[in-house]
Amino acid sequence: MEREKLITRLGKGLMVANLATVVRVLRRGFRNLPARLGTAFNAIDPLDSSPDRFLRRIPQTELQKVVARLSPIVVDERYACIDGSLPWVDLLTLITIARDRRPSVMLEIGTFFGHTARLLALNLPDCVIHTIDLPLTFDQKTDDGELPKDDFHLIKGREVGKAFRGAGSLSNIVQHSGDTATWDFGNAPGATVFFVDGSHTYEYARNDTEKCLAAGKGRPGTIMWHDCDGGHRGVIRYLAELATKGYPVRRIAGTTLAVMDF
Ligand SMILES: C[S@@+](CC[C@H](N)C(=O)[O-])C[C@H]1O[C@@H](n2cnc3c(N)ncnc32)[C@H](O)[C@@H]1O
């Protein structure tokens, strides 16, 4: 990625420093030149590096086309939409697809406060919801993991599983602690539906997806990803790669979710 950025910058620089620039300096002098060069530099995009380039490669579909039917969903008073958790439309879409697939075991990567895990457990009472988050002792400064993480403000501010702990807690949630770069996905045995929402770098999107595919191997299953949008370049770059390789990954219109059956 760094290499791609460097090439893009070089290309932009060469395009800005062209004959037209020389002619302009000869005719009008250097007045306003830095500002104009800056504007030109920002406007030029020789490698089409905008997020749209990746999003365009991931086909989009409607929720109704990936489920047999829409069914009523329960959301109770303990639900809260906080920064870092799923907004309504994504939450309802995720639960709708999960319910449609009727899994006995599900795995969520990225518990955070646990609002999504809790509502999955409430709406899929016969399913065991495994959910994993980084250990509470995780410290960005001492992290020596090989894969780059992101969203450190969320990691710092999380209260893992708070939403489903305590009074009225559900018995079908299993909390795990670990880094998905090294965690054994066999700790969620029998999982067929996976929700990927941990670190959103390219490296973690790939790591988590490949491990879900390996864990679900031999049975039909479904992976859903959150944050399939322009703000999460690592996720869309990886999903665009999958789509280009022929994997049936689709974005769900009106949401930032992507889904793939395997
Ligand atoms: C965007 S939040 C997840 C939101 C949650 N799925 C929800 O719907 O409310 C991302 C979470 O992933 C966790 N996380 C980040 N990197 C991780 C990793 N490598 N392994 C496990 N969890 C990770 C963070 O600590 C954070 O709590």
Side-chain angles (χ1 to χ4, degrees):
M1 204 59 219
E2 284 312 311
R3 199 165 152 257
E4 190 179 314
K5 261 190 203 160
L6 188 71
I7 294 171
T8 306
R9 279 172 178 243
L10 269 173
K12 282 159 73 103
L14 286 173
M15 286 181 179
V16 168
N18 57 19
L19 188 61
T21 313
V22 178
V23 171
R24 188 190 176 281
V25 170
L26 290 175
R27 287 179 61 197
R28 300 190 203 167
F30 287 94
R31 226 178 105 246
N32 289 340
L33 187 66
R36 284 177 180 276
L37 288 182
T39 308
F41 186 85
N42 290 332
I44 290 170
D45 191 4
L47 294 184
D48 185 14
S49 59
S50 71
D52 284 352
R53 162 191 169 202
F54 298 120
L55 285 171
R56 272 196 302 267
R57 284 158 53 192
I58 311 168
Q60 185 168 279
T61 188
E62 308 287 326
L63 173 61
Q64 282 88 339
K65 294 196 176 141
V66 300
V67 294
R69 64 192 174 88
L70 301 178
S71 57
I73 285 169
V74 179
V75 178
D76 66 6
E77 70 286 350
R78 288 190 68 176
Y79 171 72
C81 183
I82 53 173
D83 177 34
S85 68
L86 265 59
W88 280 103
V89 64
D90 292 356
L91 183 66
L92 298 182
T93 302
L94 177 88
I95 297 173
T96 299
I97 297 173
R99 275 171 59 93
D100 181 80
R101 300 306 191 263
R102 297 173 179 271
S104 312
V105 183
M106 247 194 99
L107 170 65
E108 175 192 39
I109 296 173
T111 313
F112 201 43
F113 280 68
H115 287 293
T116 298
R118 182 168 187 283
L119 287 180
L120 282 168
L122 202 62
N123 284 279
L124 288 96
D126 299 326
C127 176
V128 177
I129 315 293
H130 290 266
T131 179
I132 174 161
D133 209 294
L134 290 167
L136 295 178
T137 52
F138 175 84
D139 183 350
Q140 179 184 359
K141 291 190 206 95
T142 53
D143 180 33
D144 56 2
E146 282 183 9
L147 306 181
K149 299 181 175 61
D150 65 358
D151 287 342
F152 292 104
H153 65 294
L154 296 182
I155 297 176
K156 203 169 169 203
R158 75 208 152 117
E159 292 184 48
V160 177
K162 184 182 179 188
F164 55 75
R165 275 190 266 114
S169 63
L170 296 142
S171 59
N172 56 333
I173 302 179
V174 181
Q175 178 75 64
H176 299 270
S177 177
D179 183 333
T180 52
T182 50
W183 187 66
D184 178 2
F185 279 54
N187 287 318
T192 53
V193 173
F194 301 86
F195 177 42
V196 179
D197 192 21
S199 274
H200 296 82
T201 58
Y202 170 86
E203 290 80 358
Y204 268 101
R206 187 169 72 182
N207 171 80
D208 294 353
T209 304
E210 286 177 352
K211 289 181 175 168
C212 290
L213 283 172
K217 204 173 170 190
R219 298 176 296 262
T222 302
I223 304 186
M224 287 177 270
W225 297 263
H226 193 228
D227 295 316
C228 177
D229 61 13
H232 297 86
R233 207 184 157 84
V235 175
I236 57 175
R237 185 180 148 219
Y238 176 66
L239 294 184
E241 255 178 46
L242 274 188
T244 306
K245 284 182 191 160
Y247 285 85
V249 51
R250 290 162 290 175
R251 292 184 282 137
I252 307 291
T255 76
T256 72
L257 287 174
V259 63
M260 177 174 83
D261 293 306
F262 60 89

